[in-house]
Amino acid sequence: MRRRAFAAFLSVCFLCSNIFAQNPKPVTQMPKEEVEPFKISRGVSFSASTPRRSNQTEKRGAEIPPDRIVADYREALQLIRENYVDGKRLDYNQLAKSSITAMLRTLDPHSNFYTPREYRELLDEQRSEYTGIGASIANYTFKGVTDTYITSTFPDSPANRAGLRFGDKIVAVNGVPMTGKTSFYVREQIRGEKGKIVRLTIERASSLQTETLEIRRNVVTSPSIPDAYMLRPGIGYIDFSEGFNYTTVEELEKAIANLHRHGMNSLILDLRNNPGGILEQAVKVAEKFLGAGQIIVSQRGRFAIDNRVWKSANRNPEKMPLVVLVNGSSASASEIVAGALQDYDRALIVGENTFGKGLVQSVINLPLGAGLTLTTAKYYTPSGRSIQRDYSDGNIYDYFRHKVEYKTNPKFAGKTITGRIVYGGNGIMPDEAVPAPLITDSQIALLDPIFFFTREITAGRIEGLENYKQTRGIIFNQRVRPSDFPPSEKLFSAFQKYLKETEPEKASNLEANKKFILNRIRYHLATAKFGSITANQVLIEEDPQVAKAVEALPKAQTLAQAAQKSLQNRNK
């Protein structure tokens, strides 16, 4: 009931702003991350007449009645509307969002308020889908001008059916020029209501001719496991970068079954950049590798409904050697999986320190389609570790940028099933620390020219490289073979010539970055032919963290065998 009351209070604040936006007259009556679903009934109405001010100061520590707070909020909006210098151009929805978000930020960094559109997108992500045209886009800058380009489309998507290709430039959306806009802004203009038409003005990469396409938006699937394939003979690789959604476990089971059919006897589970998601799905993922009765995560909150211990019920878990890759963007639900597998020594954790989010948010529906994620519990790994980083100083920027220095503290220590000491309080620390490969400033400066060079190649405009021209749409569901787009001196020389002609100031010291240049060109060529998901294989092949994961598989097997013996001894 307290959650309902709190949600209803926030609804009043949001409704109040909506009413101000629609009615300029004074109003006295108002009619509205890992996460757990929690719903409240819609259609709550409140009275919010403004009380007469009292000269008495509120007693320190006294609880202010909710109707008084709502009335004060309404009066503040009224004063802003009547006196602010740009009062006629106020965005009341934005005012409401800012005020509610600021209140939630005093609680913790992860409780959040969502406008109706943002909330729809959040729910769509949890269903592994969104409403749009199904294209990957990115910003690239040529001679100081930044534009947004199509890099790939997805199978059976509106964008793919409309014939959008790698390198097509988005000139305008619904007649509004997009030059100079961020790709995030362009994406928001393209996405929208299912079934509605969006008009894209496109400069074709193949001909440099401009045309306008009318594309009907539709639901586009966005799986939590974008790709899974045999990295090497016997070694399976699963890209687990897109969060934990309602379809995650089903996707994982299909991926593992398919890899087994191709001879998998060991697995690398790549949780890097996985931001988390639905707690129950994280539990089921860990359960695939942990035996019946083993604790996966415990959850503790203020109320009985928030206190729970999650255990595996799997009597036939996967036994193969397992390495889990993590980094600083592995958060929340992905940390639950990594923490459980580490505590039972079921997997070797390789990479970098994870984000450090040990809070559980309940998802609460608000009237008018808005929503709220509110922290209602904390979670702990099987050894009792809380991996949540400190946020008590209230500096959100430092928190999300990992600016607060952390030193190992025995207070947060736990022990794995074989007796290894592991620490909490700062995410999951890897068993094998491997830093991500650094891209130098000179390499960063080459990223845009490499894209535009590849755009010219695929259009057949680079002399001597006409065999790289792409004359058909993306070929989905194929792997990149070693013989596809092999690095060559001819390719490198052509890039050198192109850069000297287009951006000569960037044409120095190319030999030192030769391997980087050729690998990135190969990546873009693979994207143009096979799509962005398959093309990631090119980058994975050169990834030092993945190489370390492959190297660590025998150690992971030894560790898992020792853990199994420890469990057997405990059960005697």
Side-chain angles (χ1 to χ4, degrees), residues 395-409:
N395 190 321
I396 297 298
Y397 177 84
D398 285 351
Y399 173 78
F400 282 106
R401 295 290 180 178
H402 295 263
K403 296 292 186 181
V404 178
E405 184 180 355
Y406 175 84
K407 295 182 179 179
T408 302
N409 189 332

Side-chain angles (χ1 to χ4, degrees), residues 550-572:
V550 172
E551 180 188 320
L553 281 167
K555 186 175 180 179
Q557 182 176 23
T558 302
L559 187 66
Q561 290 171 344
Q564 189 62 31
K565 290 180 181 179
S566 295
L567 282 171
Q568 291 171 351
N569 291 334
R570 289 189 181 192
N571 293 331
K572 286 181 179 180

Side-chain angles (χ1 to χ4, degrees), residues 305-480:
I305 192 175
D306 298 314
N307 293 305
R308 182 171 180 180
V309 177
W310 306 78
K311 295 182 180 181
S312 172
N314 189 355
R315 298 191 177 277
N316 188 30
E318 294 286 342
K319 296 290 200 305
M320 60 194 160
L322 178 64
V323 169
V324 175
L325 281 168
V326 295
N327 65 7
S329 295
S330 304
S332 193
S334 59
E335 293 174 291
I336 287 177
V337 173
L341 297 178
Q342 185 181 53
D343 280 3
Y344 280 104
D345 291 313
R346 177 61 188 86
L348 200 71
I349 311 300
V350 172
E352 300 165 291
N353 237 72
T354 62
F355 182 85
K357 178 182 179 293
L359 306 178
V360 181
Q361 281 74 51
S362 292
V363 178
I364 303 173
N365 294 337
L366 300 179
L368 293 184
L372 177 74
T373 55
L374 182 68
T375 298
T376 53
K378 298 179 180 180
Y379 72 76
Y380 299 83
T381 72
S383 65
R385 292 182 288 162
S386 168
I387 55 88
Q388 176 62 49
R389 284 187 295 114
D390 181 44
Y391 54 84
S392 58
D393 67 353
N395 190 321
I396 297 298
Y397 177 84
D398 285 351
Y399 173 78
F400 282 106
R401 295 290 180 178
H402 295 263
K403 296 292 186 181
V404 178
E405 184 180 355
Y406 175 84
K407 295 182 179 179
T408 302
N409 189 332
K411 182 175 73 172
F412 300 112
K415 284 188 176 181
T416 71
I417 199 73
T418 62
R420 295 188 304 132
I421 296 177
V422 285
Y423 292 93
N426 188 37
I428 301 297
M429 297 181 183
D431 302 309
E432 298 280 349
V434 183
L438 293 177
I439 299 181
T440 65
D441 290 341
S442 62
Q443 290 171 342
I444 291 172
L446 291 170
L447 289 175
D448 287 351
I450 289 171
F451 169 80
F452 288 111
F453 172 70
T454 314
R455 186 178 188 243
E456 294 299 296
I457 292 178
T458 57
R461 290 191 288 268
I462 300 294
E463 185 179 354
L465 298 176
E466 289 83 2
N467 59 315
Y468 287 101
K469 182 177 180 179
Q470 299 289 339
T471 58
R472 55 178 293 184
I474 293 174
I475 304 171
F476 294 105
N477 301 317
Q478 287 199 22
R479 299 255 60 92
V480 181

Side-chain angles (χ1 to χ4, degrees), residues 177-223:
M178 291 293 116
T179 294
K181 304 295 185 182
T182 66
S183 58
F184 177 81
Y185 177 85
V186 176
R187 186 198 75 172
E188 292 302 295
Q189 308 315 302
I190 293 175
R191 289 188 179 185
E193 187 177 347
K194 177 184 176 182
K196 296 294 185 180
I197 296 289
V198 58
R199 288 187 299 110
L200 296 187
T201 303
I202 298 292
E203 179 192 273
R204 290 292 189 181
S206 58
S207 64
L208 302 182
Q209 298 297 311
T210 300
E211 59 181 282
T212 297
L213 304 174
E214 291 190 345
I215 305 177
R216 191 177 301 278
R217 300 182 181 102
N218 203 352
V219 173
V220 179
T221 59
S222 179

